[in-house]
Amino acid sequence: MKLDLLLRNADIITMDERRPHATSLGVWQGRIVGLDDDLDGLEAAGVLDLAGATVTPGFIDAHCHTTWFGLGLGELDVSAARGLNQLYALLEAGMAAEHAAGAGTAPGWLLATGFSQQQHGGEFPDIAVLDRITGNRPLFMRHNSGHMAVVNTAALRLAGAEPASFPDPDGGVIVRDAGGRPTGLVQETAQQLIQQLILPYSSEAIEEALDRATSYYAAEGITSFTEAGIGGGWIGHSPVELAAYQRAASAGRLHARAQLMPVLDVLHPLGGVHPPGTTPAGLDLGIASGFGDEFLSLGPAKVFLDGSLLGETAAVSRDYCSHGGTDNTGNTGYFQAEPDALRVNIEAAYAAGWSIAAHAIGDRAVDLAIEIITGCAAKYGPRAVPNRIEHASMTRPEQLSRLAAARIAVTPQASFFSAGGDGMTASLGPERLGWAYRAASFLAAGVTLAGSSDRPVADGNVLRGMQAFVDRRTASGAVFGNPDERLSPLQALAAYTTGAAAATGTSGIKGSLTAGKLADFTVLSGSPLTAGSIAGLKVLATAVGGNFTFRTPGITPRTADRPAATAPSFSTATNRS
C-alpha cells in the first residue's frame, strides 16, 4: 500500500479523546489511514513536512446561507457605511458605476447587501432620499439579519404594495408611517412580495455564487457547511437550487462538502400508500433527509417559527425593553404563521421521513419547537439526521433539560456577539440577558452544540467565531450575556468540528481525525488551544478528502521526483490544486 499523502512534523489536534494528539497523518483515497506509528513502513506519493504547524479537523459551519453569500459578493456591499449619509453615498456610487458599465442598456434592479440599522445609530433610510437616488429603478437592500429589507417606492409599486389599503401578508409587515405611507422597510414574509419579482436566479448565477462563496470558505479552513434553506420561501433562490448545487459539484465549482436544507414551503403532499392518519409532505419519489452522498446531501427541512432579536420580531415570553430599560413596549414579537398551522405542516414533513430544523430565536418559539418536534418523534420515531433548533437564541433554564431529553441539537452563533451584542443587550434588558445565546450551559446539560455563522447575516470566519465563544465580547468591549457561558478553547474548537458533525448527523465520517474518516483537515499557523489570540491565527491550508482546496505557497508536498519543501510560509496567498 502506498499513501497518497503523508503529513509529517505536525501538531495534530485529532479531537478524538482516545488519541488526542499526533505528529503524522496518512491519507489514501480520500480517507485517513492512520496516525504516527500506524504509518510505519508505508511509503507516500506526496510527503508534506509541516514544520510544527497545527492540523485540526476541517471546520464545519453548521448553519450558513452560501448562495446568498456568494450572490452578495457580486452585489453592492453597503456594510462599511457608518451613518446614513455614507450609505446614501454608496448607493449613489453604485448607481453611477452600473450606469457607466451598462451604458445603452435598460437598468434592472439595484441589489445591495449588508445593511443594518445598528451601523447607523438605529436609523433606517428615508424612502424619499432613496427615491431621489434611484429614481424609477427598483431597489432591494437586504438587512444583515435576513429578516427584513429596505426597498424604494419603485419596488413597492411593481409589487402593487404601495397603497395604504394593501394588506400585510401572514407573518410579515410592510412598515408604514402614521399616514399609511410605506417607509421602505419590509419585514419577514413581506419581503417575498418584492423578492418574487427578482426570483428565480438562473442556475448559472447560483453556480457562480457557489464557486465564489466556497472559494472564500476554503481560504478560511471550512471543509463542510449546511445551507440553511433552499428552493423557496424568502430564503431560497430557485426551485431548482439543488440541481445548481449538483452541477457546481460536478464542474468542480463547489469547494466544500454541502448539506442542504429545503425550506418547508417547497414540500408538497405525496401520493402512494401511507399509514392511516398520516398526510406526508415531501419531495417527489419520497426523497428525504439523508439522501445524497458524502459530498452533497439533504439535511433537515427548514421551517421558520419566528423572526430575529435585532429586528425585535422573535417570539419572546416578555416584552422587548423600551429605551428606558423596562419591558413595557407591548411587543413580544410574533410567529411566522399560526402555531396550529405550523404544527400541521411540520408533522406532515416529519411523517414523510424529514428531520426538522426549526428556526426559533425567542424563548416562546423555542417552546413551540420543542413541543412540535417531541410530538413528531413520539409519533413517528427518531431520525438518523438529528432534529435541530436553529439559533435557539433565548432559552430559559428549564428548557435546557427538555432540549437534551429530546436530543435536539442547537446552533447559536457566537459571531453575533460583536456586531449585535450591544443592541440585543438593550432590547432584552438585564433580567433575562443570561438566557441569550447560551453555550457552556448547553454543553453542561448534554445538548449538542454546533458551531455556525449564519453568514452573511454575521461574520463567517471560524477562527473569529471560536474567539467569540471564548471571550463573548461585544463591539463596546463588554461581555455579552452571562460570562459563565464562555467556552474553553477546546470546547470552541469542538463546536466547529465534533459538535457540528454530530448536529449534521455525520459524526461517523468527519469531525475528528480518526482512521477511516474523511481526510478533511485544516492547517493553522498555531494551536487554537494555546494561542494568545485564536482570531489572530492564519489558515495555511485546507483539504477536502486529502485534496487541497486552499494552500499558501509553503504548503507543497514533496514527491519522489521533487526535493523536500521549505518550511511552510504564513502568507495567506491562495494556491488551489
Side-chain angles (χ1 to χ4, degrees), residues 326-536:
T326 59
D327 22 353
N328 58 5
T329 62
N331 175 25
T332 57
Y334 51 85
F335 292 118
Q336 297 261 321
E338 288 299 319
D340 286 345
L342 289 166
R343 184 177 293 104
V344 168
N345 291 335
I346 291 171
E347 183 172 336
Y350 202 95
W354 288 92
S355 304
I356 298 300
H359 168 110
I361 286 186
D363 62 305
R364 194 156 52 97
V366 171
D367 276 334
L368 181 62
I370 295 172
E371 175 195 340
I372 294 175
I373 290 172
T374 53
C376 287
K379 187 171 183 179
Y380 300 105
R383 292 286 176 260
V385 176
N387 296 306
R388 300 168 36 159
I389 293 182
E390 306 307 296
H391 313 297
S393 307
M394 293 290 294
T395 47
R396 301 187 307 275
E398 71 273 14
Q399 290 175 322
L400 297 174
S401 58
R402 295 170 60 201
L403 287 166
R407 298 184 179 179
I408 297 172
V410 296
T411 63
Q413 288 78 28
S415 48
F416 287 170
F417 302 158
S418 177
D422 291 324
M424 289 187 287
T425 297
S427 289
L428 297 174
E431 291 186 11
R432 56 180 167 175
L433 192 56
W435 304 352
Y437 285 94
R438 295 178 183 272
S441 59
F442 279 136
L443 295 178
V447 178
T448 298
L449 169 68
S452 68
S453 67
D454 206 18
R455 180 185 250 162
V457 175
D459 182 11
N461 183 285
V462 172
L463 292 170
R464 289 196 289 267
M466 290 172 57
Q467 184 71 57
F469 268 131
V470 170
D471 63 31
R472 295 181 68 92
R473 293 292 177 186
T474 69
S476 68
V479 175
F480 177 69
N482 184 349
D484 292 339
E485 294 292 349
R486 289 178 291 195
L487 299 183
S488 71
L490 179 61
Q491 289 173 324
L493 177 58
Y496 290 96
T497 54
T498 53
T504 55
T506 56
S507 290
I509 57 172
K510 56 188 172 184
S512 63
L513 299 177
T514 308
K517 290 193 177 183
L518 297 168
D520 296 355
F521 59 84
T522 301
V523 182
L524 301 173
S525 60
S527 171
L529 305 186
T530 58
S533 169
I534 300 173

Side-chain angles (χ1 to χ4, degrees), residues 55-420:
V55 177
T56 71
F59 298 151
I60 304 170
D61 187 334
H63 179 117
C64 56
H65 303 282
T66 304
T67 302
W68 172 14
F69 175 60
L71 290 168
L73 291 174
E75 296 174 352
L76 177 63
D77 184 0
V78 300
S79 60
R82 294 296 182 271
L84 291 179
N85 287 336
Q86 287 189 17
L87 174 69
Y88 297 144
L90 284 176
L91 292 173
E92 287 175 333
M95 288 283 291
E98 291 194 18
H99 177 75
T105 63
W109 284 80
L110 178 61
L111 302 175
T113 187
F115 170 77
S116 173
Q117 77 276 18
Q118 301 293 327
Q119 299 161 345
H120 309 288
E123 293 187 76
F124 288 90
D126 184 334
I127 193 171
V129 178
L130 296 178
D131 290 344
R132 176 182 58 76
I133 293 170
T134 57
N136 291 322
R137 185 173 184 183
L139 166 71
F140 184 80
M141 181 165 59
R142 195 190 287 269
H143 190 274
N144 267 356
S145 69
H147 288 266
M148 63 182 86
V150 174
V151 300
N152 62 357
T153 299
L156 290 163
R157 191 172 294 135
L158 282 174
E162 183 185 9
S165 59
F166 189 89
D168 288 333
D170 288 342
V173 176
I174 303 167
V175 179
R176 301 178 185 275
D177 63 20
R181 294 178 294 271
T183 66
L185 183 64
V186 287
Q187 296 177 332
E188 304 297 347
T189 60
Q191 295 177 92
Q192 288 181 260
L193 299 168
I194 311 300
Q195 286 176 304
Q196 67 188 357
L197 304 174
I198 303 169
L199 299 174
Y201 285 89
S202 70
S203 291
E204 177 59 27
I206 294 174
E207 289 174 54
E208 291 176 357
L210 294 175
D211 192 358
R212 287 193 296 265
T214 58
S215 294
Y216 208 100
Y217 290 4
E220 293 184 337
I222 296 170
T223 57
S224 295
F225 66 93
T226 295
E227 170 77 89
I230 66 165
W234 58 263
I235 204 66
H237 297 90
S238 167
V240 293
E241 207 161 349
L242 172 58
Y245 260 95
Q246 288 180 299
R247 282 192 286 271
S250 297
R253 303 175 81 180
L254 190 62
H255 310 292
R257 303 182 194 276
Q259 181 187 70
L260 312 181
M261 293 182 180
V263 296
L264 201 70
D265 311 53
V266 305
L267 306 187
H268 57 78
L270 296 175
V273 178
H274 304 288
T278 63
T279 55
L283 299 179
D284 291 332
L285 301 179
I287 293 170
S289 300
F291 182 81
D293 58 23
E294 294 163 349
F295 197 79
L296 180 62
S297 64
L298 291 175
K302 170 76 177 293
V303 56
F304 288 92
L305 300 190
D306 67 346
S308 75
L309 282 181
L310 285 176
E312 297 188 353
T313 57
V316 292
S317 58
R318 287 166 41 184
D319 294 6
Y320 289 100
C321 289
S322 66
H323 294 298
T326 59
D327 22 353
N328 58 5
T329 62
N331 175 25
T332 57
Y334 51 85
F335 292 118
Q336 297 261 321
E338 288 299 319
D340 286 345
L342 289 166
R343 184 177 293 104
V344 168
N345 291 335
I346 291 171
E347 183 172 336
Y350 202 95
W354 288 92
S355 304
I356 298 300
H359 168 110
I361 286 186
D363 62 305
R364 194 156 52 97
V366 171
D367 276 334
L368 181 62
I370 295 172
E371 175 195 340
I372 294 175
I373 290 172
T374 53
C376 287
K379 187 171 183 179
Y380 300 105
R383 292 286 176 260
V385 176
N387 296 306
R388 300 168 36 159
I389 293 182
E390 306 307 296
H391 313 297
S393 307
M394 293 290 294
T395 47
R396 301 187 307 275
E398 71 273 14
Q399 290 175 322
L400 297 174
S401 58
R402 295 170 60 201
L403 287 166
R407 298 184 179 179
I408 297 172
V410 296
T411 63
Q413 288 78 28
S415 48
F416 287 170
F417 302 158
S418 177

